[in-house]
Amino acid sequence: MGNCLTANTHGSRALKDLLKELEAGTLSKSAMMRKIEDAAESQNIIDRNLRSAISLLERFKRISVEQHEERPSTFTMRGEIENVLVAFTNTLKQLPDLTINVQGDENLEVRSYAGIIWQILTNLLQNALKHGLPGGEGIIDIIYRVQREEGTDYLVIIFEDDGVGMPREVRDRMFEPFFTTNREGGGTGLGMNIVYNLIKQLDGTLHCVSNPDMGTRFVMKIPLISNGDANGQ
Ligand SMILES: Nc1ncnc2c1ncn2[C@@H]1O[C@H](COP(=O)(O)OP(=O)(O)OP(=O)(O)O)[C@@H](O)[C@H]1O
Ligand SMILES: [Mg+2]
């Protein structure tokens, strides 16, 4: 939307200049063509950006509908992590210098929202590959366990990469919608905002520790649904 505003300002200015010069009678044909082309290009930019904003909103809508419809189920955490990794098979095959370690009880079963956890891990893995380890070289650790605190069982997931990390000004804004350091590369800046909202929806918490050249670590704590829970049907 920011790009639309800039393009709109630019286009309006080109048209205003055009009018001014027309009135003053100082306009050459080539200058007129240039101004018209300028305005047309601004229109194109606005058109492209509005289309991408519409498709983003569609994606948002779809995510909230999917969340709404998802019922909790009992699944193994290891299986869900493997489902995420399988979706990245082609990418990972091309990264021989990348190691992904998964640590946790292979048989650990949890009752929660598998689809939501899949989305969270998918976004984190995409980011670790794109931002943390852009050269494809490094280590990603995914550690999980269940931890009991004050009578509630939490699924704890630690997701970390030993990549480039983030300076403070990026880390502080990472969860804002549309914040991205990769606008030219087509980043929407919605990935971490979606992760944050999904974890909040599950009444969980998310913390990030990251420093330049010291990698990035996310710690998530998601309360599990017990079998006797009214929502846990
Ligand atoms: N593992 C990471 N290492 C370093 N920087 C990161 C990491 N994860 C996120 N970031 C930073 O946080 C910003 C926001 O991430 P987010 O997923 O919201 O957007 P994006 O990845 O840029 O865009 P999109 O998710 O649409 O591809 C990124 O642009 C990047 O600067
Ligand atoms: Mg992302």
Side-chain angles (χ1 to χ4, degrees):
M1 297 312 270
N3 289 343
C4 282
L5 271 181
T6 313
N8 196 31
T9 310
H10 188 76
S12 309
R13 195 172 301 138
L15 287 174
K16 241 185 241 155
D17 289 354
L18 190 63
L19 270 178
K20 224 191 275 166
E21 290 189 43
L22 263 176
E23 277 166 6
T26 55
L27 194 63
S28 68
K29 189 171 173 208
S30 64
M32 180 166 82
M33 291 305 289
R34 249 198 333 271
K35 296 277 181 214
I36 292 175
E37 275 163 17
D38 249 22
E41 176 54 19
S42 300
Q43 288 293 316
N44 270 338
I45 294 174
I46 293 171
D47 188 76
R48 269 205 310 276
N49 280 281
L50 281 178
R51 276 172 206 282
S52 100
I54 288 167
S55 86
L56 278 179
L57 286 175
E58 288 300 323
R59 195 170 123 195
F60 253 154
K61 261 197 295 193
R62 219 170 38 240
I63 286 169
S64 60
V65 171
E66 278 165 9
Q67 272 167 230
H68 207 67
E69 283 174 354
E70 189 177 358
R71 297 257 172 279
S73 63
T74 303
F75 55 93
T76 65
M77 244 333 264
R78 181 64 67 126
E80 208 41 50
I81 292 172
E82 267 155 21
N83 284 342
V84 174
L85 297 179
V86 163
F88 283 80
T89 307
N90 284 337
T91 309
L92 298 177
K93 259 200 315 222
Q94 290 161 30
L95 303 173
D97 299 321
L98 180 83
T99 306
I100 300 185
N101 297 314
V102 182
Q103 288 174 53
D105 178 352
E106 282 189 29
N107 302 313
L108 178 69
E109 284 196 336
V110 293
R111 188 161 180 77
S112 183
Y113 297 85
I116 295 181
I117 289 177
W118 187 89
Q119 269 187 35
I120 292 169
L121 293 175
T122 297
N123 272 304
L124 293 179
L125 182 55
Q126 263 166 5
N127 280 349
L129 294 173
K130 188 182 291 169
H131 307 294
L133 305 164
E137 191 181 331
I139 300 171
I140 294 173
D141 286 310
I142 308 173
I143 303 160
Y144 62 89
R145 61 174 176 269
V146 168
Q147 194 167 298
R148 197 170 181 81
E149 276 175 34
E150 294 171 2
T152 304
D153 281 331
Y154 290 90
L155 171 64
V156 179
I157 307 174
I158 297 169
F159 190 109
E160 60 188 340
D161 67 68
D162 68 345
V164 300
M166 286 176 249
R168 192 174 170 168
E169 56 280 13
V170 172
R171 199 185 60 221
D172 285 352
R173 299 190 59 196
M174 175 181 38
F175 299 125
E176 283 178 21
F178 304 110
F179 175 79
T180 175
T181 54
N182 185 36
R183 181 86 58 212
E184 317 77 60
T188 64
L190 284 176
M192 285 312 300
N193 182 255
I194 289 173
V195 167
Y196 181 82
N197 287 328
L198 290 173
I199 290 180
K200 255 181 86 177
Q201 274 219 326
L202 299 184
D203 286 327
T205 58
L206 168 64
H207 290 108
C208 172
V209 182
S210 183
N211 285 298
D213 295 326
M214 295 184 65
T216 298
R217 165 190 282 217
F218 293 96
V219 181
M220 290 150 272
K221 257 199 217 176
I222 298 168
L224 289 172
I225 295 166
S226 68
N227 280 322
D229 195 310
N231 293 323
Q233 302 310 305

